[in-house]
Amino acid sequence: MSTPAKWEAVIGLEVHVQLLTQTKMFCGCTNHYGDAPTSHVCPVCLGLPGSLPVPNEEAIRLTLLTGLMLGCNLAPVARFDRKNYFYPDMPKNYQISQYDDPLCAGGLVPLDPFLFPKEIQDTAEAKAGRSIRLTRIHLEEDVAKSFHFEDRSGIDFNRAGTPLMEIVSEADLRTPGEAFSFLGSLRQVLLAGHVSHADMEKGQMRCDVNVSIRPIGQKEFGTKVELKNLNSTSGVRRALTYEIARQIAACEKGEAIAHETRRWDDQAGATFTMRTKEKAHDYRYFPDPDLLPVRTDQGLLEAARTRLPELPTVLQSRLIQAFGVTAYQASVLGADRVLCAYFEKAAAQAKSKATVANWILNDFLSTQPDPATTPILPEFFGELADLVADGTINSAQAKKVFAELMANPASPREIVKRLGLAQISDVSALGTYCDEAIAANPRSVEDYRAGKTNAINALKGFVMKKSQGKANPLQVDEILKAKLSA
Amino acid sequence: MSLAYETIATLRRRLLSKEIHPRDILKDLFTQIDAREKTLHAYTYLHRESALAAAEKADLSLPLGGIPIALKDNLNALGDPCTCASKILEGYKAPYDATAVSLLRQAGSILLGRTNMDEFAMGSSTENSALGLTRNPWDPTRIPGGSSGGSAAAVAGRIALAALGSDTGGSIRQPAALCGCVGLKPTYGRVSRYGLVAFASSLDQIGPLTRTVEDSALLLSVLAGHDPRDNTTDLRPPEKFLTQKNGSVQGLRVGLPKEYFLPGMDSETESAIRSAADWFKKNGATLVDVSLPHTPTAIAVYYILATAEASANLARFDGVRYGRRATDARDVLDLYHRTRSEGFGAEVKRRIILGTFVLSQGYADAYYRQAQKVRALLRQDFEKAFTQCDLLLTPTSPEPAFPLGERTQDPLKMYLADVFTISTNLAGNGAISLPCGFTKSNLPIGLQLIGPRFGEETILRGAHAFEQAHDFFQRLPPS
Amino acid sequence: MSAPQINISDVASLARLTLTPDETAKFSAQLSQILGHMETLSQIATGAVPEVTPPAQPALRQDIPTPSLSIEAALSNAPAQANDLILVPRILE
């Protein structure tokens, strides 16, 4: 459903990202999921009386690195604050977070057109090339995991105190498709920096959405609704599509939008009121006296800088320029750094680099390979492309070589030999085949000469059959034409 | 003479010369405890058996080898209760050691027992204990001071050689003054707070209560140093204190802050402090008049910041993971309300409410943030004063121990008892209280010496010289 | 600025405390007296004074795992538990 022309949506995202650290944010417990409940806890992350937090420097470096990658302003001195509210999944009943002095402020996420939903990648919306401004990025601790039973809840504190990076966008997004691309584009950056696996479906990246609508042209924001329980990027898109339509329908009926938090029900495909926000939370933030301010300008920032990867946008333009791949191929390669490295190796020495991209992205990828462990050396694809380019084999033979390459990995040159595939380009040999073809197919010859140029295909087919598919089709074409017009 | 009357320094010499065995010390202490604890109620818990067992295995080569020490009941020690004198920690047994406790263990000392306190260290009289009140050894109708009242009463009453306390606004020094022993609050960041149940994190420090300044230095030498588990501990390398004792105060510049000598103050206290100042002058120190102009704001700043921090620090006591849990709660919210309303005493509730209020929306700027700014001014006062002098000399408490029950209904008046100790917590400086006289009714009077930040060596030298030139520390409370 | 009237019950509820009528009355009186005393602070000129910022120092923790508590020790104080989870009454939003 598209937004009726008279309304526009205003969307802001708060994205929580689990960081790839060995240990928790403020204690040395292992940062790992899926283990036996309560097996990674200590006095600190269990909030025992007397325990004290000490910040994990790696979590700070990863947050700074994210800030560098997204062009944020990085604070020379950052502070941790206490955010006070009671909840059983929060051991201290305050969360250590950052309020006044976050590690990063500002920044931009460029929307990758190819990370919009497939069916709208060709629209102006996707091709607009917008960048979404960030408000801030800060670091905090995650809460425990609750399991709800009939009359009780059980809590596993393994996740409590693990590092969580919160990325807050400005209310710059206007469509569900943009929100979808924002999450995908952000994920590419996080993957590039090895900051997080950032998989929403695994809870490594979580997203709260704020959305309101307003008549196009109006400056003021409408009443904002917060959406929760969004567990995938496509879920975010569906929830937003639903919610925007709901708000528009309400407004057009003259109903007021309630300032509330709504829960997305993926099964029902609808949002439902969770709680109204008449009484705003009073979190009573104040600087955590257990933690000294963090100086980032004494080594932390430099350490983060040395880890700056090639950013997705930079990588994509380089791939297009250096390898002649399409923008789409660049986006696919950019999304998988391991595959991209594989491609770059494959294409490095190849004469036809764009063909290498086709082989890898079309044929190879469809076999669902693991580029990190595959026994098929990347150089093989360069060789395969070159064999076609220099006329050693034709494209039909190349398909055979590829199939053999997958089944019994070896150098394509060897496979060509092994299968006896080398193309016949010898003019006299081909001439003989062509003479035989003309002699054996007088009807086709007649047709061709009568102007039915398609009739030559029957002659070509004869030559290919005779030569067991080894004849160079381009040369065959030339020779036949020459002989027929003689 | 009972070994319970000796100092740690003396007992260490006698242990090393094999004249006595650690079990002899414990035996004498337990004899004293059996005789006096019923009156004093200094302890919440005694480690009779484990202490005797530890005495048999004591390693005398360690700095505190064979020396029993009592802990304030807000320090976690593995396997032991840690009640903070609160019903809310009923049944809690610590699954870990506080850094201070593990340092004491590593230094060879024996855990003797756990001492009574105001609930969560909130109070100045130890009357806010859910486990019963503690009495002053010099006059059992009077308070021992607080919040480390159990530690002070045990040391002064000769039922402990030394005890650890914690000091947030005077909780080591004020009871030491009122009970006639030595109480040291180290500079903020000197001693790890890891394992000390937090009252106000930016103010809390662990410190020793002892009979003598020398013992105080001995304990500080064991406790001081950076702890990777406490982000607020200072990075300077470990120090040994008072290794040279020449007893001289020659050339020392002693500042007398005028704001600490006010008209109408307790006359016996004032004259004892003036005599102490005279002694310093007579022995070659220079007296300097200094000013700490923001002193009158200290109580207000303190009660805003301390309660604000406490309101968050005490949020974790909710009946979910440990301690008391209210029964029959309908849901989690009900569990919180019931557990906390039943588990906390009146003073704790009062402070949590005050602290919640000063941080709440619409009030945080006027109270919490303004208090932080005034705290910066208070700190500047001290920095300025220490350009003019090496130590500040003041009373520890405006008056000697007051009668039990006198102020329990008047919290503001109770808060004012900390007027001379609070500023040093706000500024972060170290300070000591040691006996400097007695009233006509035989109640101890405490002298406070405040040093520049990390100036414990100067404090201990000055205090030791004064102490050794007088016999106050040798006087015994009536038995 | 004069001492504000605190709605004690609201503040108590933020701190998850329920006060008896007796406590409410007593604490209201005591807290307004204490807040009255705190009014002295509003007289102090602090316009140019920054809030106290403790010295920043790089005493951070390296990202190296240290031993956790055993599951038994971690749950040893739990008032209610099952299947290594700590149990609480149901959570209502």
Side-chain angles (χ1 to χ4, degrees):
Chain A
M1 184 194 299
S2 66
T3 310
K6 117 184 219 240
W7 300 94
E8 80 173 345
V10 175
I11 303 162
L13 301 183
E14 287 169 23
V15 183
H16 287 92
V17 176
Q18 291 182 344
L19 298 181
L20 284 171
T21 58
Q22 297 294 308
T23 65
K24 293 190 180 184
M25 185 60 229
F26 295 110
C27 64
C29 287
T30 300
N31 176 18
H32 190 261
Y33 303 95
D35 296 331
T38 322
S39 58
H40 302 315
V41 302
C42 75
V44 178
C45 57
L46 208 47
L48 291 189
S51 63
L52 294 173
V54 183
N56 181 340
E57 60 177 11
E58 176 66 3
I60 295 172
R61 277 196 295 261
L62 290 176
T63 305
L64 292 170
L65 174 60
T66 306
L68 284 170
M69 292 190 294
L70 296 173
C72 305
N73 295 312
L74 306 179
V77 177
R79 280 198 296 189
F80 288 104
D81 298 276
R82 294 182 181 179
K83 179 182 183 181
N84 295 287
Y85 66 96
F86 282 78
Y87 209 78
D89 63 10
M90 205 162 57
K92 302 180 294 299
N93 287 322
Y94 62 79
Q95 180 189 30
I96 305 177
S97 182
Q98 297 192 279
Y99 190 61
D100 282 326
D101 302 301
L103 282 160
C104 316
L108 282 179
V109 174
L111 300 183
D112 184 334
F114 295 103
L115 293 173
F116 275 76
K118 273 250 155 40
E119 70 276 15
I120 59 169
Q121 286 178 3
D122 276 334
T123 62
E125 177 188 339
K127 290 180 167 169
R130 293 191 68 206
S131 285
I132 303 304
R133 290 173 303 156
L134 298 179
T135 313
R136 57 188 281 155
I137 303 177
H138 70 251
L139 194 50
E140 58 189 31
E141 52 179 345
D142 207 345
V143 297
K145 207 167 161 53
S146 313
F147 300 89
H148 302 292
F149 310 120
E150 195 157 324
D151 58 339
R152 292 187 297 181
S153 297
I155 305 163
D156 169 13
F157 287 89
N158 282 353
R159 196 180 66 185
T162 56
L164 206 55
M165 180 172 70
E166 181 172 339
I167 301 170
V168 183
S169 86
E170 293 287 316
D172 277 358
L173 297 154
R174 292 290 172 269
T175 67
E178 285 185 350
F180 185 91
S181 174
F182 177 90
L183 291 167
S185 306
L186 177 62
R187 178 162 190 255
Q188 291 314 318
V189 173
L190 297 171
L191 289 174
H194 301 286
V195 169
S196 173
H197 292 312
D199 186 340
M200 272 194 84
E201 278 160 57
K202 290 182 182 154
Q204 293 156 343
M205 184 155 103
R206 284 169 255 159
C207 178
D208 292 339
V209 174
N210 287 302
V211 55
S212 61
I213 57 159
R214 63 182 174 192
I216 286 176
Q218 179 182 303
K219 280 248 160 57
E220 299 77 40
F221 292 133
T223 305
K224 150 174 110 169
V225 168
E226 188 177 355
L227 301 184
K228 290 204 181 268
N229 195 39
L230 303 164
N231 301 320
S232 65
T233 28
S234 57
V236 170
R237 183 185 177 212
R238 285 195 299 276
L240 273 169
T241 305
Y242 172 87
E243 179 61 19
I244 292 165
R246 186 192 71 83
Q247 292 188 15
I248 290 172
C251 283
E252 289 189 334
K253 272 190 273 175
E255 291 167 9
I257 303 295
H259 184 40
E260 61 182 353
T261 302
R262 297 177 71 87
R263 185 176 191 285
W264 168 246
D265 183 333
D266 212 35
Q267 295 271 300
T271 62
F272 298 96
T273 299
M274 248 172 105
R275 54 172 178 264
T276 54
K277 293 197 169 183
E278 291 153 3
K279 224 169 138 186
H281 275 291
D282 185 353
Y283 289 124
R284 289 161 284 133
Y285 282 99
F286 71 101
D288 191 330
D290 286 330
L291 295 165
L292 296 179
V294 177
R295 295 210 65 155
T296 62
D297 53 0
Q298 295 178 342
L300 285 169
L301 197 49
E302 276 321 297
R305 216 180 286 281
T306 61
R307 295 204 209 163
L308 254 181
E310 186 176 29
L311 291 172
T313 46
V314 177
L315 171 65
Q316 289 177 26
S317 358
R318 183 171 64 78
L319 290 174
I320 292 168
Q321 293 203 335
F323 298 99
V325 303
T326 65
Y328 172 74
Q329 287 176 327
S331 170
V332 175
L333 287 168
D336 185 339
R337 295 288 167 130
V338 180
L339 182 68
C340 187
Y342 187 89
F343 163 73
E344 289 192 47
K345 246 187 178 168
Q349 304 297 328
K351 291 183 203 91
S352 170
K353 299 181 193 302
T355 320
V356 175
N358 293 336
W359 278 114
I360 291 180
L361 294 179
N362 301 336
D363 303 89
F364 185 46
L365 263 196
S366 68
T367 67
Q368 295 178 310
D370 179 353
T373 57
T374 178
I376 298 154
L377 301 179
E379 290 78 4
F380 291 171
F381 285 104
E383 221 177 289
L384 181 58
D386 284 352
L387 286 171
V388 178
D390 66 17
T392 309
I393 54 174
N394 58 42
S395 55
Q397 289 174 316
K399 293 279 179 201
K400 282 188 193 156
V401 174
F402 175 79
E404 180 62 15
L405 181 59
M406 293 298 115
N408 300 299
S411 141
R413 267 182 222 293
E414 269 173 44
I415 293 176
V416 166
K417 263 191 221 155
R418 199 195 296 161
L419 300 183
L421 283 178
Q423 197 166 241
I424 301 169
S425 302
D426 174 49
V427 179
S428 68
L430 290 177
T432 311
Y433 284 132
C434 289
D435 289 341
E436 282 178 39
I438 290 169
N441 297 284
R443 183 106 178 254
S444 299
V445 172
E446 211 169 294
D447 287 352
Y448 179 82
R449 288 195 170 132
K452 291 186 187 164
T453 47
N454 275 343
I456 200 170
N457 290 338
L459 301 174
K460 279 189 200 169
F462 184 91
V463 173
M464 293 314 281
K465 204 172 169 190
K466 275 273 171 189
S467 70
Q468 292 171 306
K470 292 183 198 169
N472 182 330
L474 292 177
Q475 278 178 301
V476 170
D477 187 65
E478 274 172 33
I479 295 171
L480 276 174
K481 279 179 183 161
K483 286 190 188 284
L484 288 170
S485 55
Chain B
M1 190 177 74
S2 167
L3 298 176
Y5 288 76
E6 297 286 6
T7 66
I8 296 174
T10 308
L11 290 172
R12 280 288 299 157
R13 278 192 290 276
R14 295 178 66 182
L15 283 169
L16 285 173
S17 69
K18 308 274 182 212
E19 190 190 324
I20 56 169
H21 186 273
R23 85 176 76 85
D24 304 328
I25 304 173
L26 280 174
K27 224 180 88 211
D28 282 6
L29 277 169
F30 283 124
T31 307
Q32 281 290 108
I33 288 169
D34 291 337
R36 309 216 60 200
E37 171 62 4
K38 221 174 158 184
T39 312
L40 296 180
H41 185 52
Y43 286 100
T44 57
Y45 192 85
L46 281 162
H47 302 290
R48 281 183 196 264
E49 278 160 33
S50 61
L52 284 166
E56 297 305 323
K57 298 183 294 188
D59 180 351
L60 297 183
S61 69
L62 296 168
L64 294 174
I67 299 296
I69 289 176
L71 299 177
K72 188 175 179 177
D73 205 0
N74 58 355
L75 287 158
N76 281 274
L78 179 66
D80 293 341
C82 179
T83 69
C84 296
S86 179
K87 284 192 283 190
I88 211 158
L89 274 169
E90 243 168 42
Y92 169 75
K93 284 218 168 95
Y96 75 107
D97 265 346
T99 298
V101 173
S102 82
L103 289 171
L104 285 182
R105 291 193 208 265
Q106 283 161 34
S109 67
I110 297 166
L111 300 187
L112 176 63
R114 305 183 62 83
T115 60
N116 200 14
M117 56 188 280
D118 286 297
E119 185 179 359
F120 286 106
M122 295 178 178
S124 311
S125 68
T126 314
E127 291 167 295
N128 300 329
S129 167
L131 306 176
L133 47 81
T134 295
R135 294 170 186 276
N136 192 309
W138 296 87
D139 178 352
T141 68
R142 290 175 186 267
I143 59 140
S147 67
S148 311
S151 292
V155 172
R158 269 63 181 173
I159 57 174
L161 306 172
L164 295 193
S166 66
D167 192 315
T168 308
S171 280
I172 290 173
R173 291 160 289 158
Q174 184 257 17
L178 270 43
C179 289
C181 59
V182 177
L184 174 68
K185 181 201 92 77
T187 305
Y188 186 80
R190 178 72 92 173
V191 176
S192 169
R193 295 180 295 113
Y194 187 78
L196 165 69
V197 181
F199 161 15
S201 314
S202 75
L203 302 161
D204 295 341
Q205 269 293 287
I206 295 169
L209 291 101
T210 54
R211 308 262 174 73
T212 64
V213 175
E214 187 183 12
D215 284 0
S216 189
L218 202 58
L219 283 180
L220 183 64
S221 303
V222 167
L223 298 173
H226 174 71
D227 178 9
R229 291 181 186 276
D230 179 356
N231 190 237
T232 62
T233 49
D234 196 79
L235 290 170
R236 68 192 62 219
E239 271 178 65
K240 295 283 167 243
F241 297 94
L242 209 63
T243 49
Q244 277 151 26
K245 302 177 276 278
N246 64 7
S248 165
V249 294
Q250 187 71 41
L252 197 69
R253 297 171 302 161
V254 175
L256 302 173
K258 66 175 188 208
E259 292 79 8
Y260 286 62
F261 297 88
L262 297 171
M265 72 187 285
D266 178 70
S267 60
E268 287 184 288
T269 300
E270 183 174 9
S271 77
I273 300 301
R274 296 271 182 211
S275 314
D278 288 345
W279 178 89
F280 276 93
K281 192 178 175 187
K282 255 183 263 161
N283 286 275
T286 321
L287 297 185
V288 191
D289 285 321
V290 297
S291 174
L292 301 166
H294 291 92
T295 302
T297 66
I299 298 256
V301 171
Y302 174 84
Y303 279 95
I304 290 169
L305 299 182
T307 58
E309 292 180 17
S311 72
N313 283 332
L314 271 62
R316 68 187 64 194
F317 302 103
D318 59 2
V320 171
R321 284 145 293 121
Y322 44 80
R324 185 192 175 101
R325 174 183 282 199
T327 48
D328 302 328
R330 291 188 304 274
D331 53 52
V332 159
L333 188 63
D334 191 40
L335 176 79
Y336 289 155
H337 276 265
R338 288 218 217 168
T339 299
R340 291 167 61 80
S341 302
E342 292 165 16
F344 289 136
E347 182 61 26
V348 173
K349 288 182 196 172
R350 191 154 43 225
R351 294 200 196 191
I352 289 175
I353 290 170
L354 180 58
T356 304
F357 172 74
V358 297
L359 285 173
S360 64
Q361 220 159 39
Y363 297 102
D365 283 333
Y367 290 99
Y368 179 78
R369 291 196 182 85
Q370 175 73 355
Q372 283 286 32
K373 289 177 181 171
V374 180
R375 182 179 185 179
L377 295 174
L378 270 156
R379 187 181 282 221
Q380 285 172 13
D381 283 0
F382 277 87
E383 279 164 13
K384 214 182 273 173
F386 282 113
T387 61
Q388 298 165 265
C389 63
D390 306 308
L391 282 180
L392 292 170
L393 184 154
T394 79
T396 307
S397 164
E399 61 202 333
F402 50 84
L404 288 162
E406 191 187 80
R407 300 194 184 164
T408 45
Q409 292 310 310
D410 189 346
L412 185 56
K413 201 166 175 199
M414 187 75 98
Y415 296 173
L416 294 171
D418 300 326
V419 64
F420 295 144
T421 46
I422 267 172
S423 297
T424 43
N425 296 81
L426 291 168
N429 297 50
I432 202 168
S433 176
L434 71 161
C436 70
F438 285 82
T439 65
K440 284 195 281 292
S441 45
N442 207 30
L443 293 173
I445 296 169
L447 167 71
Q448 178 173 238
L449 297 175
I450 306 168
R453 286 164 55 78
F454 297 100
E456 278 86 341
E457 183 64 22
T458 315
I459 296 174
L460 290 164
R461 281 179 183 227
H464 183 254
F466 177 85
E467 173 194 75
Q468 293 302 311
H470 299 83
D471 71 345
F472 304 123
F473 75 101
Q474 286 163 326
R475 294 206 204 165
L476 293 177
S479 43
Chain C
M1 188 183 123
S2 63
Q5 273 315 107
I6 313 186
N7 185 333
I8 290 277
S9 308
D10 280 358
V11 179
S13 161
L14 263 181
R16 300 294 181 262
L17 289 169
T18 309
L19 302 182
T20 63
D22 197 38
E23 282 174 325
T24 307
K26 201 163 84 180
F27 288 178
S28 293
Q30 289 168 339
L31 288 174
S32 62
Q33 191 197 2
I34 293 163
L35 286 170
H37 179 78
M38 291 178 176
E39 290 315 302
T40 52
L41 286 195
S42 61
Q43 316 297 318
I44 311 290
T46 53
V49 184
E51 290 182 26
V52 165
T53 317
Q57 60 183 17
L60 302 172
R61 192 173 52 76
Q62 287 189 290
D63 189 26
I64 299 168
T66 52
S68 297
L69 291 172
S70 67
I71 296 179
E72 302 73 58
L75 294 169
S76 60
N77 283 297
Q81 53 165 297
N83 303 320
D84 295 340
L85 300 174
I86 291 178
L87 295 181
V88 293
R90 66 200 167 129
I91 302 170
L92 296 179
E93 267 300 332

